Amino acid sequence: MATVVKKVLIGVAVLAVLCGVFQGYRLLWMETGWTRPFVVDDITMPSLRTIVERLFEENQPGGPPLVRILLDNAWFTAREALAGFLLGALIGLAIGTILHLSRLLRRGFLPFVVASQTVPILAIAPMVVIWLGGKGLPVWVPVAVIAAYLTFFPVAINTLRGLDSAQPRALELMRSYAASPWETLWKVKLPASLPYVFSALKVAATASVVGAIIGELPSSIQDGLGGAILNFNQYYSIDPAALWATNIVAATLGIAFFLAVVLVEKLVVRAAPEHVA
Amino acid sequence: MSTEAAAAVSLAGVTKIFERGQTHALDEIDLEIAPGELVSLIGPSGCGKSTLLRLVADLVEPTAGTITVAGKSAHRARLDRDYAMVFQEAVLYDWRTVAKNIALPLELAGWSRGERQRRVGEMVELVELTGFEKHHPWQLSGGMQMRVAIARALSLDPKLLLMDEPFGALDEMTRERLNLELLQIWEQSGCTVLFVTHSITEAVFLSTRVVVMSPRPGRIAGIVEIDLPQPRTFDTREEPRFFELVTEVRELLRGHLAAHGAPEEELA
């Protein structure tokens, strides 16, 4: 318990320092009038106080406070991201396992897996929307697929690495017991791969949120954080705090996804403490 | 061939050349081990003693010659789970508890949950690890980890136990205790043991026969019958006959090292 309290305290302290750096930079640049790398004023860097206050202001006269709207948006995006994350993780695990099992496929197919990530997601997203949109599917499906496109890659690569990481002696032991390839995969290689897989899932968790936000833009989805970012972007010169507030909510969502994976890892991985990535 | 069928392990004209680097690991090895024997293989690094063990285990295939285990081919014996292997490292799976590590061979052999639990209970008692069933390997000392590895190896009650320097990484005191425990287990179970070691005293203390090997290519330099009375005790190491046998093994090793001009430090 004491370590949990300690971790929370350290987290709060780091957050406070970061806020201090932001406010300090802002104040220093405004006082001195420095213009490099950019002019600091209430538009380019609204104060944290303004941003937080903006969260609790009504967005439209008589409407709910901004934070209420943003949380609804975040909930919508979270569902897309979660669907994309799960889909991408499954595809990644499958690809990693198949490439592990077949040397031939690894040699032939791995370059294309890598190449898939060099194509900008912004170029792929509209195509996915056109392919999958308006087919009677829910509007969030193409967005989830775009999120999955960003998610599967780190999972596939690290699954492959993790399955390859089983110790030769551990595999020899299984061979001495006449274990089938399936048993060796299930009882040795898969458990040995979990620290690697979870490292990838942590990367993928945040990537899936980014993927969902980006996926919303060409889909013209208004209900998510992507829609909110696009919207507040247009009003930045008169209402910069709204976009900053949206970014804070989006970042918080990414952190929440990351922490969820950390929690599952703690429950699942029973490796020696020093092996936990 | 009929006499070979009775042997626990039989090697005839076994040669092993590793393709990579053209290493001539073993040359024309003939060796027959009777059921219930405890035979040690000793020799300097590069004499192929570990390779010999791995050939019997069907983990590598011979370049020439035949190997039979309990009258079957080594391959058939592996598939029938006729032997169990203990490596120098305990090779325990970190993500499994002590009990689950010991149960691994039983799972692979398709034992039911209840049968597994009963057998693991017996094994834990045998190697004196009662109370540590729920521990994970990294919470145990090196000696305890090796006990778990031995319990795992014995869980399917194998007729043949193959041990590749199992106590090599342990301190002297733990090693001597585990030597005695191994002998007790060997007497109780009546299994055959093929034991690879670097230690002359360990080989003499444990074995019914010590096979002395010489390197490059690996050959049998001589076999020493160990006629020390059974059961062996802590006092066995202080008997004059023990020292005579240790000297005999040492001279066999030294003779071949001198003949090959190899430095004596190779016998750690």
Side-chain angles (χ1 to χ4, degrees):
Chain A
M1 246 0 244
T3 56
V4 173
V5 173
K6 210 170 167 185
K7 272 184 186 172
V8 170
L9 283 178
I10 291 171
V12 169
V14 170
L15 190 64
V17 168
L18 288 176
C19 290
V21 168
F22 181 89
Q23 292 293 80
Y25 179 95
R26 192 181 118 83
L27 262 175
L28 186 63
W29 259 249
M30 284 171 89
E31 287 299 317
T32 55
W34 286 337
T35 58
R36 285 166 201 276
F38 59 87
V39 178
V40 173
D41 55 31
D42 285 336
I43 301 294
T44 56
M45 273 178 87
S47 96
L48 284 176
R49 190 177 164 165
T50 318
I51 295 168
V52 172
E53 278 173 357
R54 181 67 184 87
L55 273 171
F56 297 98
E57 276 169 25
E58 294 166 357
N59 199 39
Q60 283 160 347
L66 179 63
V67 66
R68 186 64 228 253
I69 296 167
L70 287 179
L71 283 179
D72 283 346
N73 292 340
W75 174 239
F76 187 89
T77 300
R79 283 179 298 172
E80 295 165 340
L82 181 64
F85 173 75
L86 293 177
L87 183 67
L90 278 178
I91 293 171
L93 282 169
I95 290 178
T97 308
I98 290 166
L99 295 191
H100 168 77
L101 293 175
S102 166
R103 212 167 272 268
L104 191 71
L105 281 179
R106 183 188 299 205
R107 220 174 280 163
F109 198 54
L110 192 55
F112 292 97
V113 174
V114 176
S116 76
Q117 298 303 300
T118 64
V119 180
I121 189 72
L122 278 170
I124 303 255
M127 298 180 209
V128 175
V129 171
I130 289 167
W131 293 336
L132 298 176
K135 302 256 181 345
L137 295 166
V139 285
W140 56 265
V141 170
V143 182
V145 169
I146 291 161
Y149 188 85
L150 284 186
T151 305
F152 92 93
F153 180 71
V155 180
I157 296 294
N158 273 31
T159 301
L160 179 60
R161 225 176 101 97
L163 291 173
D164 287 345
S165 79
Q167 296 297 312
R169 282 275 181 273
L171 298 177
E172 234 168 25
L173 184 79
M174 290 302 272
R175 194 172 141 78
S176 80
Y177 284 119
S180 69
W182 170 248
E183 285 169 326
T184 305
L185 182 69
W186 185 248
K187 290 185 192 290
V188 181
K189 290 176 176 177
L190 188 72
S193 77
L194 284 182
Y196 293 83
V197 171
F198 271 99
S199 291
L201 289 177
K202 285 176 209 164
V203 175
T206 51
S208 72
V209 173
V210 173
I213 288 171
I214 289 174
E216 284 171 5
L217 305 182
S219 318
S220 316
I221 289 176
Q222 298 297 318
D223 303 331
L225 286 174
I229 288 168
L230 207 57
N231 183 27
F232 292 128
N233 208 16
Q234 288 165 358
Y235 298 102
Y236 189 80
S237 55
I238 50 169
D239 186 11
L243 186 63
W244 281 87
T246 310
N247 288 347
I248 287 171
V249 172
T252 309
L253 180 62
I255 292 168
F257 264 60
F258 179 88
L259 290 178
V261 174
V262 171
L263 189 70
V264 173
E265 182 183 30
K266 285 227 185 321
L267 295 174
V268 170
V269 178
R270 288 268 183 269
E274 68 268 28
H275 293 175
V276 177
Chain B
M1 288 305 278
S2 60
T3 52
E4 282 182 14
V9 178
S10 170
L11 296 101
V14 172
T15 296
K16 177 66 187 176
I17 298 167
F18 286 106
E19 298 289 327
R20 257 183 226 171
Q22 289 285 307
T23 314
H24 201 155
L26 289 168
D27 188 51
E28 296 271 337
I29 300 286
D30 295 301
L31 181 65
E32 197 142 317
I33 299 168
E37 269 198 285
L38 200 163
V39 174
S40 288
L41 301 174
I42 193 168
S45 335
C47 73
K49 53 194 190 297
S50 285
T51 304
L52 187 62
L53 201 72
R54 292 154 61 78
L55 282 163
V56 174
D58 186 43
L59 295 177
V60 287
E61 281 178 17
T63 310
T66 55
I67 303 161
T68 58
V69 176
K72 309 169 191 176
S73 71
H75 182 66
R76 188 68 248 165
R78 178 171 69 80
L79 296 185
D80 289 349
R81 302 189 178 98
D82 282 337
Y83 74 82
M85 183 121 183
V86 178
F87 298 94
Q88 178 168 12
E89 315 94 79
V91 196
L92 302 176
Y93 298 156
D94 277 343
W95 51 88
R96 284 176 172 247
T97 59
V98 166
K100 290 224 162 172
N101 266 293
I102 296 173
L104 178 78
L106 307 174
E107 281 174 33
L108 295 171
W111 288 35
S112 75
R113 201 189 169 83
E115 287 174 319
R116 291 205 303 259
Q117 268 175 354
R118 187 187 51 75
R119 184 65 178 161
V120 166
E122 289 172 13
M123 288 295 113
V124 165
E125 216 167 290
L126 180 74
V127 297
E128 292 168 18
L129 281 175
T130 312
F132 290 96
E133 293 91 336
K134 296 250 164 69
H135 282 61
H136 282 266
W138 75 85
Q139 299 168 308
L140 305 179
S141 68
M144 288 162 96
Q145 290 184 8
M146 193 43 76
R147 282 207 182 91
V148 178
I150 290 171
R152 177 181 60 196
L154 294 170
S155 62
L156 277 176
D157 207 5
K159 281 172 273 182
L160 175 63
L161 196 53
L162 303 173
M163 306 183 89
D164 191 359
E165 295 185 43
F167 310 136
L170 304 178
D171 64 86
E172 188 92 16
M173 265 143 50
T174 311
R175 172 188 273 221
E176 290 193 356
R177 247 202 16 241
L178 284 175
N179 279 346
L180 270 181
E181 284 176 26
L182 174 64
L183 284 178
Q184 279 163 14
I185 288 165
W186 172 63
E187 271 160 34
Q188 278 170 29
S189 66
C191 66
T192 313
V193 181
L194 188 52
F195 191 94
V196 168
T197 180
H198 260 116
S199 160
I200 299 172
T201 50
E202 183 175 60
V204 171
F205 178 73
L206 289 175
S207 314
T208 55
R209 280 194 296 164
V210 175
V211 176
V212 180
M213 298 183 69
S214 63
R216 287 176 285 272
R219 287 201 179 106
I220 294 178
I223 298 179
V224 180
E225 295 276 344
I226 307 297
D227 50 9
L228 293 165
Q230 300 281 3
R232 313 238 164 111
T233 64
F234 266 116
D235 298 329
T236 303
R237 285 195 188 83
E238 288 161 17
E239 285 172 27
R241 183 66 190 139
F242 180 78
F243 291 110
E244 286 170 29
L245 289 163
V246 166
T247 305
E248 198 175 325
V249 171
R250 183 172 286 133
E251 299 213 321
L252 260 173
L253 284 165
R254 181 175 289 171
H256 274 269
L257 286 184
H260 285 78
E264 239 173 282
E265 299 89 74
E266 279 196 44
L267 270 177

